[in-house]
Amino acid sequence: MKKMFGFLRIRKEEKGPVIAFVLISLFLHACCIWCFSDSFLKESIDNGGVFYSQFHVSGYDPITYAVVTHWDVTYQVFRHPLLAWMVYPLFLLNNGLIALTGYNLVQFLLAVIILVCNIYSVVFLYRIFKDIIGVRRVDAILLIIFFYGFAHIMVASIVPDHFTVSMCLLLMALYLSGSYMRRGKEMTILQTVVLFVITAGVTLSNGMKIYIDALFTNGRRFFRPKYLLLAVILPAALMWGFANWEYLTHVQPKEKEQRKEVIRQKKEARQRAYETFMDTTSITNPDERQTAFTQMYRIQQKKEAEERWNSMHKGMPIKSKNMFMRWTDITTPRWDSMVENLFGESLMLHQDHLLEDTMGSRPMIVRYRWVICYFVEGVIVLLWLMGLWLGRKSRFLWMAMAGFAFDMVIHLVLGFGLNEVYIMAAHWAFVLPVSIAFLLKSSDYRRLTFYYLILLTAFLWLYNGSLLVSYLLGGVS
């Protein structure tokens, strides 16, 4: 057991960066807790409704606040099959604390979990940069600070969504895979299964990245029948089966009740509209009145449906009966999304519609006020591409980029989550400093890259940090 989890021990040389990160992170967590504490500390919370009505930070969901307060399988089970069960111990602990103190301490409990995940993300990043890629200690620390200056890494590191947990698990898998490569070892069946279960359990699509890591680590041996069956096919099938069981047992009955309620409300609304129409129309013929009402009501319903769709700022999905195709988007402009959201909002917050939700008042595409923001974005992307070129012979870098490519197929090609792609930056944004690390490893580019990174890091922290803190301390309406 000690050998298996020995990599979780924080080394002496890593304690300095960790302590500095904890101090900064505690301040940001304190801002976030203070912003919502008036509403969330109250014990008498009606099934988490207050969380959904009061928590507004970009597109991040307060589902975990609600589940840890009133446990239920609330997450989308085909995307987060084990997450509700993973937080169940926190639900028991929180309800015990509510009984003892009379206060709902869910914010503090989740802040501790998120902080621990971020501490280990810092540790794994440090080891990736220093031990696997081979940069100097000062360069590794600078890359970590640079990375946490990204807008939606900074924001994700304090909100109660699952992204910080996902990032920690992905970085752990990346670090372990890199360590196996460096030592010429393979990822065993048990290691693969454990990594897949915990990673896919939090976010199912990220489980695919474990298989990508295993493929790059094991090479041809990945395709051995025993490994494919026990490490890949069987765990994936069991996870999918469990998600289906969750849906049929916990979700479908609630959906049926919700559909019944929707049908009842629609019938009542139609009856009220019918009575109003009959009271005000001048048409005397019964058949003509019924026909006129039917036409009027259809037009009204179509208009209301279009307004609801437009208010959600979503693109049109692929036409299909498959439930997953409803999450796609084939109409949102890809170039604008890449410039303003993928490599824009992910790295730097927009001042207009600051941290608003696309399901509410935020348009899908928001422009920066300052040209310097586009300049900074361009420099970061350029450094990333240059790092890719210098590290083109590194199997580790291409393993990381394969996971990034998987995300880009999901977001840019299929359009999953494209309307708020930046909140998923924690799943992929670490490939930028990983790639740039190869510039710092090069004797020809290190000095210039180092100075550029200092300037970029200072700008990101001042710009994003001031906007985030002002948003939280100013009180979210």
Side-chain angles (χ1 to χ4, degrees), residues 215-470:
L215 174 61
F216 275 85
T217 302
N218 294 6
R220 295 178 182 176
R221 294 181 178 273
F222 178 88
F223 298 100
R224 287 176 300 177
K226 181 180 178 181
Y227 186 91
L228 272 179
L229 176 63
L230 299 180
V232 180
I233 297 173
L234 185 60
L238 290 175
M239 186 68 75
W240 187 252
F242 183 80
N244 273 283
W245 172 82
E246 273 189 301
Y247 176 75
L248 294 173
T249 306
H250 294 277
V251 180
Q252 193 176 65
K254 289 184 289 186
E255 289 183 345
K256 287 181 179 179
E257 291 300 318
Q258 290 169 356
R259 281 195 292 268
K260 288 180 182 178
E261 179 62 19
V262 168
I263 291 172
R264 185 188 67 80
Q265 291 177 359
K266 284 183 176 179
K267 286 182 177 178
E268 290 180 354
R270 181 184 175 90
Q271 183 61 31
R272 288 194 298 269
Y274 178 78
E275 292 171 357
T276 301
F277 179 81
M278 292 305 172
D279 290 341
T280 56
T281 185
S282 59
I283 302 174
T284 56
N285 186 290
D287 292 335
E288 291 180 0
R289 283 193 301 178
Q290 184 64 46
T291 301
F293 168 74
T294 301
Q295 291 176 345
M296 180 274 295
Y297 194 71
R298 284 177 179 173
I299 294 171
Q300 180 182 332
Q301 290 294 296
K302 184 178 179 181
K303 182 180 179 181
E304 289 178 358
E306 290 176 350
E307 288 176 351
R308 284 195 301 270
W309 183 266
N310 292 332
S311 69
M312 294 174 68
H313 306 296
K314 280 189 172 183
M316 293 298 295
I318 297 172
K319 292 183 179 179
S320 173
K321 294 181 180 180
N322 188 293
M323 63 175 292
F324 295 102
M325 292 300 104
R326 295 201 300 266
W327 300 335
T328 60
D329 179 347
I330 57 175
T331 58
T332 297
R334 266 43 178 181
W335 177 254
D336 283 346
S337 295
M338 287 177 63
V339 172
E340 302 295 346
N341 294 334
L342 183 71
F343 292 116
E345 178 78 5
S346 296
L347 307 182
M348 290 170 291
L349 297 172
H350 287 82
Q351 291 169 285
D352 296 324
H353 301 282
L354 177 63
L355 291 171
E356 292 178 7
D357 191 351
T358 55
M359 296 299 180
S361 56
R362 187 188 194 276
M364 198 178 299
I365 303 298
V366 180
R367 309 292 178 185
Y368 287 108
R369 295 181 188 175
W370 301 341
V371 175
I372 190 175
C373 293
Y374 294 105
F375 176 76
V376 169
E377 178 183 345
V379 171
I380 293 174
V381 172
L382 180 61
L383 290 175
W384 168 53
L385 295 175
M386 290 175 64
L388 280 180
W389 176 253
L390 289 181
R392 64 189 182 278
K393 295 182 181 179
S394 169
R395 187 154 54 107
F396 175 80
L397 178 58
W398 289 115
M399 177 177 68
M401 285 303 301
F404 171 77
F406 175 72
D407 279 331
M408 294 306 102
V409 169
I410 289 177
H411 298 314
L412 293 181
V413 178
L414 295 176
F416 283 106
L418 187 59
N419 61 313
E420 52 181 14
V421 66
Y422 40 84
I423 73 169
M424 285 159 276
H427 289 166
W428 56 265
F430 47 79
V431 301
L432 302 181
V434 165
S435 174
I436 293 171
F438 286 88
L439 284 171
L440 291 172
K441 188 180 179 181
S442 168
S443 58
D444 295 332
Y445 295 95
R446 181 190 176 276
R447 183 184 294 271
L448 190 59
T449 302
F450 186 83
Y451 292 139
Y452 272 129
L453 280 180
I454 289 177
L455 293 174
L456 290 170
T457 301
F459 176 83
L460 291 173
W461 273 94
L462 287 171
Y463 179 80
N464 292 324
S466 62
L467 288 175
L468 175 59
V469 171
S470 65

Side-chain angles (χ1 to χ4, degrees), residues 12 137 170 344 457 463:
K12 185 177 180 180
R137 185 173 187 270
L170 291 172
T457 301
Y463 179 80

